[in-house]
Each structure stands twice: as C-alpha cells, then as structure tokens.
Amino acid sequence: AVTDHGVVQAYPDLEAAIAKQKANIKLIFGLEGYLYDDKVPMLDLPAEASLRDLTYVVFDVETTGLDCQSDRLIEIAAVKLQEGKYVDRFSLFVDPERNIPDKIVRLTNINNSMVAGAPKEEEAVRRFLEFAEGAVLVAHNAAFDVSFIRFVSNKYGLNYHNVSLDTLALSRLLLPELKSYKLNKLCDHLGVLLDGHHRAINDTEATANMTLKLMNMLYERNITTAGALNELAGDSATGNTYHICIYARNKQGLFNLYKLVTESHLHHFYKRPRIPRSLLIKLREGLLIGSACEAGELFRAVVNRESDQEIERIANFYDFLEVQ
C-alpha cells in the first residue's frame, strides 16, 4: 500500500516498476490526507447569540507540566469582559502538592514558597468556575488550558459546562497573512503590551486586550452573532488538521480518492491540501478510512485526555485504528 502525504504522484512509477519486474504485488492505492473538521463550530452557542452581549472570561493557567492528568495547576488567572469592558479579575496560586520542576520555575518565576498555603486544585478550580459561571471561556490555545480545568472538574465532580473560544483559531481566521500565531508574536502585531510572559495574570491581560481587538475586527466585518462567526469559520480552512489514512477498496473508491485530492488542492488548500470531513463523508463509498499516526485526531484526543465518550465518538468514524 502507498500513502503519500496529500498527493498520488507515486502511483504511475510504482505501477511501472511492478510491471517491469513482473512482481507478484497487488498495489493498494492510498493517501495520507490532512483532515479538518468543517462542521465543528468555533463558538458552540445558538446561531442567534449576540457576540456583543456575551460575557467573556479570558483566562490562563500555569502548570507543573503539559499533561493535565499527571501534572498539576500552580496558577489560574482570569479577566471578565462585558460589553467590551473589563468588569472583574481573578488571580489565584494553586498548591500542586508537589515540588515545582526547576524548568517551570525558570519559565514562570513561580516557586514552591509562592504556592505554599495556596488553595489545592479542587478548591481553586471550584472558585474559578464560580467566577466564570455563565461566561464563554477564552484562552490562547484553549485546548490546553481547558484540559486542566476539565480534568480537575471531572475528578471532583465540579460543575463545568462552559463553552470556549480559542484566540489562536480566531487569530488564524482573521489574520491569515501571519507566519506565527504565538501569543507574543500576535501581541506585537496588534500592538498589545505583553509584560512578564508565562505568568498567568500577565498572559491573561494581554490575551484579553487581544480578544477585544479581534472582536472589533469581527464587528467591522459585520460578524456579530455566533452563527455568523461559525459560518465564517466553516468557510475557512485555517483550523487544525489531523492526519488520516485513506485506501481505495475498488474502482469507485479510487475515483473518489482522486476527487478528494483534486478538491483538497483546488478549493481547500491552506499551507497544505486539506480534506473537509463533510466532503470525506460524501465521497466515502469505496474507501477504507484509518485513524493514522500520532498526528491523527484519535491519538491527539488520547494525549489531550478527552473523555472516554469523546474518544469512542472519534473512533467510531474510522474503519480501522492504527496502533503506534
């Protein structure tokens, strides 16, 4: 089987080589594609929800590491925005009940003495959720920050039901010309002060200022509702992509595979040829779909500690699952 990334250019050479060598090989035509979810809303709210009327809690966390299950929170900070104005702020150290690694101390300037006597994670997250009740949670690369809040909430049975908005995805949507979407690079581009990077409260205040600028950019384009934002994002191919393996079962599948390659290059190209999930579903006849490598959505969901229900939902989309 052959699965080039995004293309099918190897097929003629392989067919010719097999014929020349008279090799007893049945070639399986395939593709390692770039899947993106064109049906997942950027803001999971009713279409008529007014962006101007929502309460936003822009937040950031600092942690002992990158794994929400094995690492711990050490700081949570948030700013509450209503009608484009600051109305409240939240800042809290968290006792991780373990030593903070030296590399985290160097990165964040948060040491063990600063978190000594601070609330433990259950109380800290409960207080944060009370502060953020009814608000849209906003963060830069929100999947990371939300994963820690969600994990602690699930662990202690806390009331976490907030929807979230990712300023990383939003900035990619509104500023496609940029080469980097790191927080400090975006702040430089938008003229936002970021002082003391990698401290939660400093990153939060910078992200809040950036959020206000990004929202104003939406309003200038007459994007004022959740539905309009999701429609705009749905037409964009700037979101995250996941690797996916596709094999042709038969001639119909090979035809559909060629069509996916054509459509991904002509109509959904953004840095790479992307395949919208809706198109893959439409052209699925004759194809065998696999979950691909560590860059596939299933593996990423496991790494990001998604719930068992979410992992099962993702897995059910595929005909077979790769084991890395």
Side-chain angles (χ1 to χ4, degrees), residues 35-301:
L35 177 73
Y36 81 95
D37 235 326
D38 57 331
K39 296 301 181 184
V40 173
M42 181 170 286
L43 185 57
D44 192 9
L45 288 172
E48 66 275 11
S50 170
L51 299 179
R52 297 180 188 273
D53 296 336
L54 294 172
T55 297
Y56 301 93
V57 167
V58 185
F59 81 108
D60 185 62
V61 300
E62 301 299 341
T63 64
T64 60
L66 301 178
D67 189 318
C68 64
Q69 185 167 350
S70 59
D71 291 303
R72 295 290 183 269
L73 293 161
I74 56 176
E75 186 181 23
I76 308 174
V79 172
K80 185 175 292 186
L81 304 176
Q82 290 177 336
E83 298 179 351
K85 298 177 181 178
Y86 288 77
V87 295
D88 206 352
R89 71 198 304 266
F90 178 98
S91 182
L92 191 67
F93 283 125
V94 184
D95 182 359
E97 300 183 86
R98 63 177 63 175
N99 284 328
I100 302 174
D102 290 341
K103 63 180 181 180
I104 300 299
V105 174
R106 291 192 296 269
L107 180 69
T108 66
N109 290 317
I110 300 174
N111 57 45
N112 293 312
S113 64
M114 296 168 69
V115 299
K120 295 179 173 57
E121 61 178 12
E122 179 182 6
E123 180 187 350
V125 172
R126 178 182 287 111
R127 287 165 61 174
F128 170 70
L129 291 177
E130 290 172 354
F131 176 82
E133 184 176 0
V136 174
L137 294 182
V138 181
H140 198 65
N141 190 20
F144 173 80
D145 302 87
V146 166
S147 70
F148 277 85
I149 300 300
R150 181 175 55 216
F151 181 80
V152 174
S153 299
N154 291 339
K155 182 177 179 180
Y156 296 105
L158 304 180
N159 186 31
Y160 170 62
H161 299 294
N162 303 70
V163 300
S164 60
L165 178 64
D166 187 0
T167 54
L168 177 60
L170 186 58
S171 58
R172 282 174 173 164
L173 179 65
L174 295 175
L175 301 166
E177 71 278 9
L178 298 185
K179 294 182 179 180
S180 173
Y181 296 91
K182 292 181 179 179
L183 181 60
N184 58 332
K185 298 294 185 181
L186 280 167
C187 287
D188 287 344
H189 179 78
L190 294 171
V192 171
L193 177 65
L194 174 57
D195 189 21
H197 191 20
H198 295 302
R199 272 298 304 275
I201 188 58
N202 298 328
D203 286 356
T204 293
E205 291 179 347
T207 305
N209 286 327
M210 184 176 70
T211 299
L212 292 175
K213 287 181 178 286
L214 292 173
M215 296 305 289
N216 284 332
M217 291 172 66
L218 287 173
Y219 302 152
E220 289 171 0
R221 296 172 65 168
N222 201 31
I223 306 296
T224 60
T225 64
L229 173 59
N230 292 332
E231 184 177 351
L232 178 67
D235 291 337
S236 169
T238 60
N240 292 331
T241 57
Y242 300 100
H243 288 202
I244 186 171
C245 281
I246 307 173
Y247 298 99
R249 296 175 182 264
N250 49 40
K251 287 187 177 180
Q252 180 62 52
L254 185 59
F255 177 85
N256 286 339
L257 186 63
Y258 285 151
K259 193 157 188 175
L260 287 171
V261 172
T262 300
E263 291 288 324
S264 66
H265 280 80
L266 293 184
H267 303 300
H268 304 283
F269 196 97
Y270 177 75
K271 297 185 178 180
R272 56 184 63 89
R274 300 179 170 214
I275 299 173
R277 188 187 300 272
S278 62
L279 182 64
L280 179 59
I281 292 171
K282 181 180 178 181
L283 298 176
R284 189 162 184 160
E285 183 181 353
L287 297 176
L288 190 69
I289 310 298
S291 61
C293 57
E294 54 80 28
E297 64 171 337
L298 181 66
F299 198 100
R300 300 319 308 165

